[in-house]
Amino acid sequence: MKLNLLKSLGVTAFAIFTIIGCSSSDDNGGNLNGDDDTAPVGTDEFEVIQKFDTSFISSGDVISVSALQNDGKILIATMNGIVRLNPDGTVDNSFHVSGVPNNNGASYYCKSIAVQNDGKILLGYYSFNGSNQVLFRLNANGSVDNSFTPNIKGEIDTYQRSVNAILPLNDGNIIIGGQFAKVDNHSYYYHLAKLDQTGSLIQDFQPRISPEILNDVSKLFSLSGNKFMVTGALFTNQYLAPLRANAIIFDHNGNLYEDFNFTEDLWVQHPAPSLKRILSVEVLSDENFLFGGNFSSIMKVNKNGNRIGDLSLSNEQINTICAFDSNRFLIGSETMTSFLDEQYTKFFSVYDLSSNTRKTISLGYDDGIVKNIIEESGDAYLLLGRFQKGSEVTNIIRVKKHP
């Protein structure tokens, strides 16, 4: 089951999943270490068949948020705003976003995109200024849908807030996650809420997230059985519900799924105190999970939330994973090093679940970041992020698996 491709919530909306695996089927725990082989492999398995012309994107910009429409068109968020591309990579000039404030550097920008079943487009934003709206719905042509009027605030109305993830439901309602405290002026809806088709709060949805204002939701991942997983720097209010943290499962009504209890400590002290985040999730056929994020490993977690294996990586962040075949997964990643002149060539790789190993796929670039992988028909995949070879830079490439 592919939780990540955008299908992802858009991955989140888009969203996107990471893959994690373990060489043993033993579900009783343990630290199962595999190999991270940096030697290029699979160069005869994938080839770049198209480099998109992304000259309309500012120099140094990375496509970090994207989503695939049912008609094959691609929505991307850049620091200059929202753009839609045709399947052949050309800009869709019939799409004109109007009624949404322009991005403003690091103080106001798009954090999430999701596409509803009816083709309407949901955009979640980060805003440093409490007066800016952080959730919009667009019609298919890019105009704002004025029938959708959410009201999302911080603890104090002037506080920063964000909608980092959006999960559209089949009934037209949506679940949103991010950093906020009030919806429709109702307090105590911290970081996770459910809205109806007009953007109004559904008050019966009460997941009982603890109210720390510096915490937030990073991602939302759809699961079977009308459930979803929420990841981020958050935990339930232990006075109102059983304590769960960092990766929590709820049903669509906001009820905690108590059988899943992820207890791994993601808090680190060095080089600076921080909480590592799960940024990608994949559900395996045995109902176990693969987790990836900014904690330099691919982690296998069983259906009860216990870690049962991992593959250690070298200072890397796993952004996305796409199921490739029965036991292998495509992984998109980036380096977490602070040295700006260091090149990173492991951005696209194959993870083998059965052997718990990863092999880098050489695509001929000197440096790269993969934020999202979108599967297309005919064994083709879109890689979105940023890729550089010498002075040549592109943000989207299409690769194809050889027969």
Side-chain angles (χ1 to χ4, degrees), residues 271 276 293-296 313-319 333-347 366-369 371:
K276 300 301 182 180
N294 61 349
F295 39 83
S296 292
L313 307 176
S314 178
N315 202 32
E316 297 173 71
Q317 174 173 303
I318 304 298
N319 294 320
S333 57
E334 64 183 286
T335 181
M336 293 192 293
T337 183
S338 59
F339 298 105
L340 298 180
D341 59 346
E342 181 172 328
Q343 294 181 328
Y344 178 67
T345 59
K346 300 181 185 180
F347 54 84
D366 304 324
D367 191 22
I369 294 172
K371 290 288 191 178

Side-chain angles (χ1 to χ4, degrees), residues 61-317:
D61 199 357
V62 176
I63 296 177
S64 57
V65 181
S66 56
L68 182 68
Q69 296 187 169
N70 291 333
D71 60 3
K73 293 183 178 182
I74 308 149
L75 293 158
I76 61 173
T78 74
M79 293 307 293
N80 293 328
I82 310 301
V83 178
R84 187 166 69 190
L85 304 179
N86 295 308
D88 64 1
T90 57
V91 174
D92 179 5
N93 292 318
S94 70
F95 184 76
H96 302 284
V97 176
S98 59
V100 177
N102 293 328
N103 286 8
N104 185 17
S107 63
Y108 189 72
Y109 58 92
C110 184
K111 292 276 288 184
S112 54
I113 303 177
V115 181
Q116 296 186 160
N117 290 337
D118 61 3
K120 292 188 176 182
I121 300 159
L122 295 159
L123 304 177
Y125 278 75
Y126 165 83
S127 177
F128 182 77
N129 184 336
S131 64
N132 290 329
Q133 187 172 328
V134 291
L135 182 63
F136 300 88
R137 187 167 67 196
L138 306 182
N139 297 307
N141 64 0
S143 62
V144 166
D145 179 0
N146 291 318
S147 68
F148 185 75
T149 56
N151 182 17
I152 300 164
K153 299 291 185 181
E155 182 70 40
I156 298 175
D157 288 353
T158 56
Y159 276 17
Q160 65 181 15
R161 62 209 192 283
S162 65
V163 174
N164 300 334
I166 308 170
L167 175 59
L169 304 179
N170 290 332
D171 60 5
N173 296 328
I174 66 170
I175 295 171
I176 60 170
Q179 186 180 49
F180 51 83
K182 292 186 289 187
V183 181
D184 286 351
N185 292 318
H186 291 278
S187 299
Y188 308 114
Y189 285 86
Y190 288 92
H191 315 314
L192 190 63
K194 185 176 181 180
L195 309 181
D196 67 17
Q197 298 179 42
T198 69
S200 299
L201 176 69
I202 297 177
Q203 296 185 46
D204 290 343
F205 180 89
Q206 298 182 355
R208 307 188 189 284
I209 298 297
S210 193
E212 281 71 13
I213 62 174
L214 295 180
N215 290 351
D216 63 22
V217 168
S218 297
K219 301 288 182 179
L220 298 172
F221 303 103
S222 182
L223 304 177
S224 61
N226 292 321
K227 295 193 291 290
F228 69 98
M229 180 181 289
V230 53
T231 66
L234 79 162
F235 48 93
T236 53
N237 188 329
Q238 60 185 318
Y239 297 105
L240 301 174
L243 179 62
R244 299 290 186 272
N246 303 324
I248 311 171
I249 296 178
F250 296 98
D251 67 20
H252 289 179
N253 295 318
N255 300 309
L256 178 69
Y257 180 65
E258 296 186 22
D259 290 351
F260 183 84
N261 185 13
F262 181 71
T263 58
E264 287 297 309
D265 185 4
L266 297 182
W267 181 261
V268 295
Q269 294 291 339
H270 301 287
S274 64
L275 181 68
K276 300 301 182 180
R277 296 166 185 265
I278 298 164
L279 302 175
S280 54
V281 175
E282 180 80 4
V283 180
L284 304 177
S285 58
D286 57 4
E287 299 183 352
N288 293 331
F289 299 91
L290 296 173
F291 284 178
N294 61 349
F295 39 83
S296 292
S297 73
I298 294 174
M299 189 186 306
K300 185 177 181 182
V301 175
N302 70 14
K303 59 185 178 182
N304 296 318
N306 302 310
R307 186 181 69 159
I308 56 175
D310 61 13
L311 172 65
S312 295
L313 307 176
S314 178
N315 202 32
E316 297 173 71
Q317 174 173 303

